Amino acid sequence: MAETMLELKNVEAGYGEFRVLHGINLRVDKGEIVALVGPNGAGKTTTLRTILRMTTLYNGEIRFKGKDIRHLPTHKIVEEGVTMVPEGRGIFNPLTVYENLVAGAYTKKAQEKMDDTLEFVFSLFPRLKERRNQIAGTLSGGEAQMLAIARAIMSRPEVLMFDEPSLGLAPKIVLEVFDTVVKLRDEANMTILIVEQHVKNSLEIADRAYVMEMGQIVLEGEGKALLNDERLKKAYLII
Amino acid sequence: MIDPSLVANNVIDGVLMGLLYSLVALGLALVFGVMDIINFAHGDFVMIAAYLSWLLAMAFWLDPSIIAVITVPVFFLIGVAVYKLVIEPILGAEPLIQIAVTVGLGYVFQNVALGIWKAEPKSFPNPWFNFSIDLGPVTLTVAKLMAAAISLISLYLVHYLLTNTKFGLAIRATSANREVAPLMGINVRKVYAITFGLGIALTALGASLYMSWGQTNPYLGQSFSLLSWVIVAMGGLGGVVGVLYSGLIVGILEALGTTFFTASARLAVVYIAFFLLLWFRPRGLFARR
Ligand SMILES: Nc1ncnc2c1ncn2[C@@H]1O[C@H](COP(=O)(O)OP(=O)(O)O)[C@@H](O)[C@H]1O
Ligand SMILES: [Mg+2]
């Protein structure tokens, strides 16, 4: 059996007094692509943020490779090997493309491997190499998303989480993003947890998936199986 | 008729002072740019550092500018401590709370100074460099020339730190997006503490240099605060270079105010020019677009 990379047990979390997650149980095994889908406001972003200690945790357990990471600050969790491509990309706009990538390799471990990682992300996204000296704020939406992904790769995560990476992108680029996610698992040995609104696409690439509603997991199963689930088809109008 | 050599002298004086103002304002610009906090006590740190420079200069009988080797590291540590005790608890609080806290801090500093040293100005009676040299029609005060040169070097060093070091990149990344910076493994609290410490260390450097010819009183901070705000508002978005240019403009305007009006009108001249500038370029001299 594959090693369990991420494990959430009965996680209750939110923002200050405002409770969003009401007992989340979720597991991601090594080498898996796990999708987390659900309507707007269900708490998907909050789940990812909670793993990185960017919310208020009231109850529950969060483990990375068996280690309790509940009390580590965000930057330490990144050092451990978990990071996220945030919703809305979060590019450092005034910095150049190259500086964004170097910032991504901030941890000591990542810095040591920076040259190799750079070569890898440039092979993945040749456009970024061409534009390495450009101010990141001037990139197009698709390029900015590539940069956000590349920057996250720079920290050499074992678990990479994506929060709606295809948001606002043209259909062709959306497909590229999904291809990249699969490549990262297959070629870079990464374990993936992906939040997406393109439910069909993400269930197609996912080994397993969780469906979330109102702060709770309401359905889970293999990606392909969920794709044919009548309840899900109705709820998300998957054709 | 106004004597042209008087104008030239005052403009040169303005340039020298402008560099010192840039140095002090850079501390405010760093804290504002990175932490999004306006430190209303900024000038009062200059005032307290000026008293410390004076005290140590008197104790060791050394020129206050030399005392910078003590005040700068001490104020860096004071800055880190003030960050931990006063600033960190109000990060992300309502702007009104942040204003109340930093204005209050400045008020405490002023009252401490007033309580200990009274309102009477203090200066070092045996300055080493407060003499003039004549260069044709212009006369230069060596202490100011030194202060300006050290300010310029320090501005360059901060610029170098920001653009050429790993920690500088962390500062700029945090300034660009403080929510996302931790996802790179950047410890944002540490970036804040060091940035605040650095900002306060710059006030101490400015203060020690200034005390090699100037005098301090409990209200010295007010004019340094006002000038720093104007400089940051004018050029803060342009990074270190923006602060440098704005500081020079402010220093020259102040000097021209003294030349063509009276010394007491100098701040009014700076302010009127500032309002005019905001009229034409509401986002400052270095705003993009
Ligand atoms: N920073 C925040 N502060 C307070 N409430 C928030 C914050 N972010 C999200 N929420 C609330 O948490 C709930 C879940 O949001 P989110 O996790 O962003 O949902 P999703 O990503 O599934 O669309 C929503 O009701 C939202 O209003
Ligand atoms: Mg979301």
Side-chain angles (χ1 to χ4, degrees):
Chain A
M1 234 191 83
E3 183 185 8
T4 297
M5 298 301 279
L6 266 183
E7 189 167 32
L8 277 66
K9 274 192 188 155
N10 192 31
V11 166
E12 295 169 28
Y15 302 91
E17 302 284 285
F18 184 60
R19 286 175 179 254
V20 176
L21 305 182
H22 309 285
I24 298 290
N25 290 289
L26 185 150
R27 193 187 85 242
V28 186
D29 289 339
K30 191 167 178 61
E32 274 191 313
I33 295 179
V34 172
L36 178 59
V37 297
N40 258 337
K44 304 180 299 293
T45 297
T46 306
T47 303
L48 300 192
R49 290 171 59 93
T50 300
I51 292 167
L52 289 161
R53 211 186 173 204
M54 298 166 84
T55 63
T56 316
L57 180 68
Y58 313 115
N59 212 341
E61 284 176 34
I62 304 173
R63 292 181 184 279
F64 170 63
K65 296 207 283 187
K67 179 178 173 178
D68 181 2
I69 55 167
R70 276 176 301 184
H71 304 294
L72 294 181
T74 305
H75 65 99
K76 289 281 182 197
I77 298 173
V78 174
E79 273 177 32
E80 290 285 327
V82 185
T83 195
M84 154 168 91
V85 180
E87 195 171 14
R89 320 192 233 286
I91 292 301
F92 301 128
N93 283 325
L95 277 55
T96 65
V97 167
Y98 181 72
E99 285 173 335
N100 269 272
L101 296 174
V102 176
Y106 192 75
T107 67
K108 207 174 270 168
K109 246 192 315 191
Q111 202 187 6
E112 283 165 9
K113 301 175 185 161
M114 191 171 89
D115 292 342
D116 285 349
T117 324
L118 259 182
E119 202 173 311
F120 175 68
V121 300
F122 283 151
S123 73
L124 217 49
F125 308 115
R127 282 294 274 284
L128 294 182
K129 190 173 188 178
E130 287 166 30
R131 298 181 183 253
R132 55 188 287 163
N133 294 320
Q134 194 168 320
I135 298 295
T138 64
L139 295 178
S140 71
E143 290 164 349
Q145 186 62 62
M146 286 169 193
L147 178 58
I149 296 172
R151 186 183 60 181
I153 296 169
M154 291 305 292
S155 77
R156 300 292 289 244
E158 292 181 65
V159 174
L160 181 51
M161 308 193 289
F162 289 85
D163 194 354
E164 309 223 5
S166 67
L167 198 68
L169 299 182
K172 190 175 150 266
I173 304 182
V174 171
L175 292 182
E176 276 179 42
V177 168
F178 281 102
D179 281 348
T180 305
V181 171
V182 175
K183 251 192 207 169
L184 289 177
R185 191 262 308 269
D186 294 345
E187 291 175 23
N189 239 345
M190 287 182 196
T191 300
I192 311 279
L193 175 57
I194 181 169
V195 166
E196 253 304 329
Q197 42 157 319
H198 286 89
V199 176
K200 186 160 176 276
N201 287 339
S202 42
L203 291 184
E204 273 168 357
I205 63 163
D207 300 296
R208 290 187 304 111
Y210 294 85
V211 182
M212 197 170 177
E213 268 170 31
M214 306 211 322
Q216 284 175 319
I217 304 287
V218 293
L219 207 59
E220 68 174 280
E222 284 182 16
K224 301 242 163 48
L226 283 179
L227 209 46
N228 297 315
D229 189 284
E230 290 302 325
R231 285 168 293 177
L232 204 65
K233 271 189 184 172
K234 281 210 191 87
Y236 297 99
L237 302 170
I238 301 173
I239 309 145
Chain B
M1 248 332 260
I2 286 167
D3 178 6
S5 85
L6 176 68
V7 176
N9 266 310
N10 282 350
V11 168
I12 288 169
D13 196 64
V15 167
L16 300 182
M17 289 305 290
L19 287 166
L20 183 73
Y21 295 155
S22 300
L23 177 73
V24 171
L26 181 59
L28 186 71
L30 278 173
V31 169
F32 178 60
V34 176
M35 304 163 66
D36 224 4
I37 280 191
I38 300 180
N39 178 13
F40 284 91
H42 191 71
D44 298 301
F45 280 98
V46 179
M47 179 270 295
I48 294 288
Y51 275 108
L52 181 65
S53 306
W54 170 74
L55 276 176
L56 294 174
M58 297 296 280
F60 297 120
W61 209 243
L62 291 171
D63 189 81
S65 60
I66 310 291
I67 298 298
V69 299
I70 304 173
T71 58
V72 170
V74 165
F75 266 65
F76 176 81
L77 296 177
I78 290 176
V80 171
V82 167
Y83 166 77
K84 278 281 167 206
L85 298 174
V86 182
I87 305 297
E88 196 166 275
I90 57 163
L91 287 175
E94 301 284 328
L96 207 57
I97 291 175
Q98 298 180 345
I99 292 169
V101 166
T102 62
V103 168
L105 184 66
Y107 194 69
V108 168
F109 285 171
Q110 286 174 30
N111 281 282
V112 166
L114 200 57
I116 301 177
W117 298 294
K118 313 294 175 238
E120 163 200 344
K122 305 285 189 201
S123 61
F124 183 58
N126 185 33
W128 298 359
F129 310 106
N130 192 15
F131 58 89
S132 302
I133 46 174
D134 285 327
L135 296 170
V138 295
T139 310
L140 289 174
T141 307
V142 172
K144 287 188 184 180
L145 196 62
M146 238 177 58
I150 293 171
S151 297
L152 193 60
I153 292 167
S154 307
L155 286 161
Y156 175 75
L157 289 178
V158 173
H159 180 69
Y160 185 87
L161 168 80
L162 290 175
T163 53
N164 281 286
T165 69
K166 190 182 168 197
F167 194 72
L169 183 63
I171 292 178
R172 287 189 297 138
T174 303
S175 158
N177 194 331
R178 72 177 61 84
E179 280 268 294
V180 166
L183 297 177
M184 316 293 119
I186 293 170
N187 181 349
V188 166
R189 292 278 158 106
K190 187 171 146 196
V191 167
Y192 283 175
I194 292 178
T195 303
F196 201 82
L198 179 61
I200 299 309
L202 293 177
T203 68
L205 180 56
S208 292
L209 294 172
Y210 169 77
M211 285 305 284
S212 65
W213 73 87
Q215 40 179 247
T216 184
N217 67 67
Y219 308 107
L220 180 73
Q222 290 176 358
S223 59
F224 273 105
S225 276
L226 285 170
L227 290 168
S228 297
W229 294 335
V230 170
I231 291 167
V232 173
M234 256 166 78
L237 291 172
V240 176
V241 178
V243 169
L244 170 63
Y245 288 153
S246 303
L248 287 173
I249 292 170
V250 164
I252 292 169
L253 284 173
E254 192 194 44
L256 293 177
T258 313
T259 318
F260 292 103
F261 303 99
T262 64
S264 53
R266 62 199 182 92
L267 277 179
V269 170
V270 170
Y271 256 85
I272 290 164
F274 176 53
F275 288 137
L276 287 177
L277 175 106
L278 287 186
W279 189 264
F280 293 109
R281 300 209 52 154
R283 303 186 60 229
L285 280 178
F286 298 90
R288 294 195 186 87
R289 127 185 116 84

